[in-house]
Amino acid sequence: MLEEVERWLADRSWSAADRPLDQLLDRKRAAGTTVSVVLPALDEEATVGAIVEVIRRELIEGLPVPLVDELVVVDSGSSDRTAEVAAKAGARVVHRDDVLPRIPALPGKGEVLWRSLLATDGDIVCFVDADLRDFSAAFVSGIVGPLLTDPDVQFVKAMYDRPLGDTPGQGGRVTELVARPLLNLHWPQLAGFVQPLGGEYAVRRCLLERLPFPVGYGVELGLLVDALHTVGLDALAQVDVGVRVHRHQDGQALGRMAAAIYRTAQVRLSRGHLVRPELTQFERGPEGFVPRTYPVDTEERPPMAGIKEYALRRVA
C-alpha cells in the first residue's frame, strides 16, 4: 500500500460515533448548510418505507434543527407499491421520467442519481440504497458528519460489514473480484476504501454537479475515480457505520454488474478502442446450456452543471 494511502487511512477513516448528533446539529446551524437525502428505488416496497420512517423519526422530527432538510425517493419505474409506501412514510416521491423530461431517461441507477440533482436543493447530497434492512440512521448522520465538520472534505463513503446470508464478511463479491483489483492496479490511491461500490455516500453538491455519471452499475466506481482526479485524495473520506444488510443479487446479475464496472473503468483508462459492450452468459435449459447476451451499460451523463435547466434553476 502506498504511504500516502496509509496516511489517508489514519487521517480520513472514522467511525459514525466520532461525531455525536448534537455536534453535527450545532455545526449545521452555524453554517446554514442544507442536506438532501436521496433514495433511488426500483421495486423496493418491502424496505423503502422503514428507511424513510427511521430518517424522519431520528434525523428530522423532534430535533432542534433537522439534520436532514429534504428526503426524496426517486422512483425509476417500479411495478409494485414503492412510490405509495415511500410517500405514506413521509418522503417526497419523484418519478424519474418527470425530472428533466427534455432528455429521454435511460435505465440504470446512475441515471436516477444524476437526475436527482435537479430534483433536490441541498448543499450536501446523501445517497442511500432503498433495499437496506435493519436500517440505522447512522448510515446518514455518519457520512454527512465529516462534510459538516471539516470544510476540506468533499466526498464521504460509508464502510461496513456485509454478511452473505448468515455468513459474516462474505458480501461484496463484485467488490472483491472486480472493483478492488481494478482500483489497486490502476488507481492505487483509492486502495484504502473498504466499500468502493457501496451505495451510501454523501457529497458536496458543488462537486457532484461537476462529475459525469455512468447511467448504470458503474456509477459508484466512476464517481469515486472522477472525484479523486477532480479534488484529490485528501478531500475523500470514509466512515464506519456498522453492518449493511440488503437483498443480494444472483450470480448472473453480478456478472452483468461486473461487466458494467469493468467498462466504466476502461472508459476512464482510455478513450480509444473499447471492448465490445456486450456480455454473454449461459443458462441451463431442457436441452443443455443456452447463451444469453446482455448489453453492458455504456452511456454516461455529462456533468449536471452543463445542463441548461440546472443552470437556470441555480441562477433563480
Side-chain angles (χ1 to χ4, degrees), residues 1-13 187-193 228-229 231-236 238:
M1 183 177 290
L2 298 175
E3 289 185 9
E4 179 184 8
V5 176
E6 292 182 348
R7 176 192 55 75
W8 178 86
L9 278 169
D11 294 343
R12 286 288 187 262
S13 294
W187 297 281
Q189 286 179 295
L190 298 175
F193 276 94
L228 172 70
H229 290 306
V231 295
L233 182 60
D234 282 342
L236 314 182
Q238 61 184 350

Side-chain angles (χ1 to χ4, degrees), residues 73-107:
V73 170
V74 184
D75 184 16
S76 57
S78 296
S79 59
D80 65 4
R81 297 172 56 249
T82 290
E84 178 185 345
V85 170
K88 185 177 180 180
R92 176 164 64 90
V93 177
V94 177
H95 294 276
R96 177 199 62 192
D97 296 350
D98 294 335
V99 182
L100 200 58
R102 174 177 64 86
I103 300 176
L106 295 170

Side-chain angles (χ1 to χ4, degrees), residues 280-312:
T280 298
Q281 298 176 316
F282 293 88
E283 300 174 5
R284 183 181 287 280
E287 300 180 0
F289 286 101
V290 179
R292 308 287 188 198
T293 300
Y294 300 89
V296 173
D297 297 322
T298 59
E299 297 291 337
E300 296 200 6
R301 293 304 192 186
M304 185 59 80
I307 300 298
K308 66 179 182 180
E309 288 90 339
Y310 186 81
L312 289 171

Side-chain angles (χ1 to χ4, degrees), residues 160-164 167-172 175 195 243-244 246 248:
Y160 33 69
D161 296 319
R162 293 186 66 180
L164 181 61
T167 306
Q170 295 300 309
T175 293
Q195 297 292 351
V243 179
R244 185 185 197 266
H246 68 116
H248 290 282

